[in-house]
Amino acid sequence: MALEHAIMVSLAERAGSGYELARRFERSIGFFWAATHQQIYRVLKRMDDAGWVQAETVAQDGRPDKKVYTVSALGHDELRRWLAEPTEPAPMRDELAVKLRGASLGDVQALYDEVARHRDLAATRLDGYRVIEKRDFPDPARLTGRNLHHYLVLRGGIRVEQGLVDWYEEILRALEADR
Amino acid sequence: MALEHAIMVSLAERAGSGYELARRFERSIGFFWAATHQQIYRVLKRMDDAGWVQAETVAQDGRPDKKVYTVSALGHDELRRWLAEPTEPAPMRDELAVKLRGASLGDVQALYDEVARHRDLAATRLDGYRVIEKRDFPDPARLTGRNLHHYLVLRGGIRVEQGLVDWYEEILRALEADR
DNA sequence: AGATGCAATGCAACCCGTTGCATATCAATC
DNA sequence: GATTGATATGCAACGGGTTGCATTGCATCT
């Protein structure tokens, strides 16, 4: 599984607690690899047992203690091993596509509305990505190394969302013409 | 879950056995909702117990018996209920994106090769979709109802794969420029 | 004659993700 | 004074997906 490795990639960039990781997964990393705090805590513990990360308890004033995790040498070895390993493309899972395929067995107008809703959701996410793109990568041609890689991941998110928006609008146009 | 409903959508189009369904999931339906034969057999049994489908054992000569499943009235009710229900967009899961984000922690050249491999895989899938598009939907403007819906699902597959190919090529160009 | 492969169905074990719940501290608000 | 909300961590149960294995019959290939 890749959750361990996604967490280590994030921790290698900057050490952090489970709670902080959960918030990172809601933002940047979570755009292409989702995880809840329960998953993260469980996996962090497993990785601690395996020696991939080390925890340091940090007392804070005005807040509960936190455990700040760092990737160990063993963890870095594992990360390199995993990075070198080939990755199989994940099979697609699109529930809306299943509903579209079965649309004529139910209420086509309801599906139309649902597609419009998904279009709006995707357009909102796309806007969010574009804001990050302009804010964090104003001059993409000059990027190198890690920053370039981060930018390219964001580009993937933008392309996927744009593709979805275009698809949803094609569906809406076609369903209107079929009414 | 949607596997039950994906199976019912498929069975509503045409009755079939678990084995036949497994092959359909390798082709058309599986493009946007993957399932193995073990999953399918298990779920078919569950649906039979729930009364959503009915099985009829059919003897064949030269081949083992098969159980041909049909969607029952109760199953159609459940399908309509599910189709009317809102669908939440599934969170993305892209392992290659995680590796790209952590690329500088490992061998960047190996990642380059891996991206090239994924580009080739996506391009092959895309070609397959385009063949189906030309063969089964030569005149998309005239499509209506169920055929239109099937076409629109295929269009989604084409758009997604094309988006991936474009993304992978952007990555390859950028990594070359960064060498 | 033996091996491979396809058609056809199924069990069992394991892992992962989801959901619901629980707990504690402090700040800010009502 | 009580409630909400953020910070912070965690357990337990359930359900779905994955993987490995098992069986039977026939056809075809070596």
Side-chain angles (χ1 to χ4, degrees), chain A residues 18-108:
Chain A
Y19 189 83
E20 282 165 354
L21 279 167
R23 277 180 310 165
R24 291 187 208 171
F25 271 79
E26 277 166 21
R27 288 183 278 101
S28 49
I29 314 198
F31 294 155
F32 48 91
W33 201 272
T36 62
H37 79 271
Q38 290 89 343
Q39 266 177 283
I40 291 169
Y41 283 122
R42 201 200 316 178
V43 170
L44 276 174
K45 188 172 190 191
R46 208 158 57 206
M47 289 197 292
D48 198 358
D49 293 343
W52 293 0
V53 295
Q54 270 141 19
E56 194 196 354
T57 304
V58 175
Q60 306 178 105
D61 48 84
R63 286 180 191 179
D65 291 1
K66 65 178 175 179
K67 286 191 206 167
V68 174
Y69 288 90
T70 319
V71 182
S72 68
L74 227 143
H76 272 107
D77 289 348
E78 169 58 25
L79 239 187
R80 268 189 299 275
R81 190 202 62 72
W82 177 76
L83 283 167
E85 200 183 66
T87 286
E88 290 323 305
M92 248 187 96
R93 283 269 159 134
D94 191 331
E95 202 169 305
L96 196 59
V98 179
K99 290 193 177 177
L100 177 55
R101 188 170 173 117
S104 55
L105 302 164
D107 181 347
V108 178

Side-chain angles (χ1 to χ4, degrees), chain B residues 119-131:
Chain B
R119 189 231 8 229
D120 293 345
L121 288 171
T124 302
R125 285 194 301 268
L126 180 57
D127 283 349
Y129 292 164
R130 294 234 185 261
V131 167

Side-chain angles (χ1 to χ4, degrees), chain A residues 1-2 5-6 8-9 12-13 28-35 39 76 79-80 82-108 110-111 114 117-118 121 125 143-146 148-153 155-157 159-161 163-164 166-167 170-171 173-175 178, chain B residues 1-2 5-6 8-9 12-13 28-35 39 76 79-80 82-108 110-111 114 117-118 121 125 143-146 148-153 155-157 159-161 163-164 166-167 170-171 173-175 178:
Chain A
M1 262 313 301
H5 303 96
M8 282 200 285
V9 166
E13 290 169 6
S28 49
I29 314 198
F31 294 155
F32 48 91
W33 201 272
Q39 266 177 283
H76 272 107
L79 239 187
R80 268 189 299 275
W82 177 76
L83 283 167
E85 200 183 66
T87 286
E88 290 323 305
M92 248 187 96
R93 283 269 159 134
D94 191 331
E95 202 169 305
L96 196 59
V98 179
K99 290 193 177 177
L100 177 55
R101 188 170 173 117
S104 55
L105 302 164
D107 181 347
V108 178
L111 182 84
E114 183 67 2
R117 192 175 71 88
H118 279 251
L121 288 171
R125 285 193 301 268
L143 294 169
T144 58
R146 205 182 71 175
L148 174 61
H149 306 150
H150 284 199
Y151 170 71
L152 289 171
V153 171
R155 289 293 302 159
R159 282 184 184 276
V160 167
E161 292 302 338
L164 286 177
D166 293 344
W167 180 40
E170 180 178 1
I171 296 172
R173 278 196 309 273
L175 292 183
D178 191 38
Chain B
M1 263 313 303
H5 303 94
M8 282 200 286
V9 166
E13 290 169 7
S28 49
I29 314 196
F31 296 156
F32 48 93
W33 200 271
Q39 266 177 283
H76 272 108
L79 238 187
R80 268 188 298 275
W82 176 76
L83 283 168
E85 198 184 67
T87 286
E88 289 324 303
M92 248 188 95
R93 282 268 158 134
D94 191 331
E95 203 170 304
L96 196 58
V98 179
K99 290 192 178 179
L100 178 56
R101 190 172 172 114
S104 55
L105 302 165
D107 181 347
V108 178
L111 181 85
E114 183 67 3
R117 191 174 72 88
H118 279 250
L121 288 171
R125 285 194 301 268
L143 294 168
T144 58
R146 205 182 71 175
L148 174 62
H149 305 151
H150 284 197
Y151 170 71
L152 290 170
V153 171
R155 290 291 304 159
R159 283 183 183 276
V160 168
E161 292 300 338
L164 286 177
D166 293 345
W167 181 41
E170 180 177 0
I171 296 172
R173 279 196 308 273
L175 292 183
D178 191 39

Side-chain angles (χ1 to χ4, degrees), chain B:
Chain B
M1 263 313 303
L3 180 53
E4 282 90 335
H5 303 94
I7 288 176
M8 282 200 286
V9 166
S10 187
L11 286 181
E13 290 169 7
R14 195 156 15 94
S17 67
Y19 190 83
E20 282 163 355
L21 279 168
R23 277 180 308 166
R24 290 187 210 170
F25 272 79
E26 278 167 20
R27 288 184 278 101
S28 49
I29 314 196
F31 296 156
F32 48 93
W33 200 271
T36 61
H37 79 273
Q38 289 90 345
Q39 266 177 283
I40 291 168
Y41 283 122
R42 202 200 316 177
V43 169
L44 276 174
K45 187 169 191 193
R46 209 158 56 205
M47 289 196 292
D48 197 358
D49 293 344
W52 292 1
V53 294
Q54 269 140 20
E56 194 196 351
T57 303
V58 175
Q60 304 180 106
D61 49 85
R63 285 181 190 177
D65 292 1
K66 64 177 177 180
K67 287 191 206 166
V68 173
Y69 288 91
T70 320
V71 182
S72 69
L74 227 143
H76 272 108
D77 289 348
E78 169 58 24
L79 238 187
R80 268 188 298 275
R81 190 203 61 73
W82 176 76
L83 283 168
E85 198 184 67
T87 286
E88 289 324 303
M92 248 188 95
R93 282 268 158 134
D94 191 331
E95 203 170 304
L96 196 58
V98 179
K99 290 192 178 179
L100 178 56
R101 190 172 172 114
S104 55
L105 302 165
D107 181 347
V108 178
Q109 179 58 42
L111 181 85
Y112 178 93
D113 295 343
E114 183 67 3
V115 171
R117 191 174 72 88
H118 279 250
R119 189 231 8 229
D120 293 345
L121 288 171
T124 302
R125 285 194 301 268
L126 180 57
D127 283 349
Y129 292 164
R130 294 234 185 261
V131 167
I132 297 171
E133 188 185 23
K134 281 195 179 157
R135 189 192 61 202
D136 294 352
F137 308 102
D139 191 3
R142 289 214 188 137
L143 294 168
T144 58
R146 205 182 71 175
N147 290 328
L148 174 62
H149 305 151
H150 284 197
Y151 170 71
L152 290 170
V153 171
L154 180 62
R155 290 291 304 159
I158 289 172
R159 283 183 183 276
V160 168
E161 292 300 338
Q162 183 67 62
L164 286 177
V165 170
D166 293 345
W167 181 41
Y168 294 145
E169 296 200 324
E170 180 177 0
I171 296 172
L172 294 175
R173 279 196 308 273
L175 292 183
E176 279 159 24
D178 191 39
R179 260 200 295 247

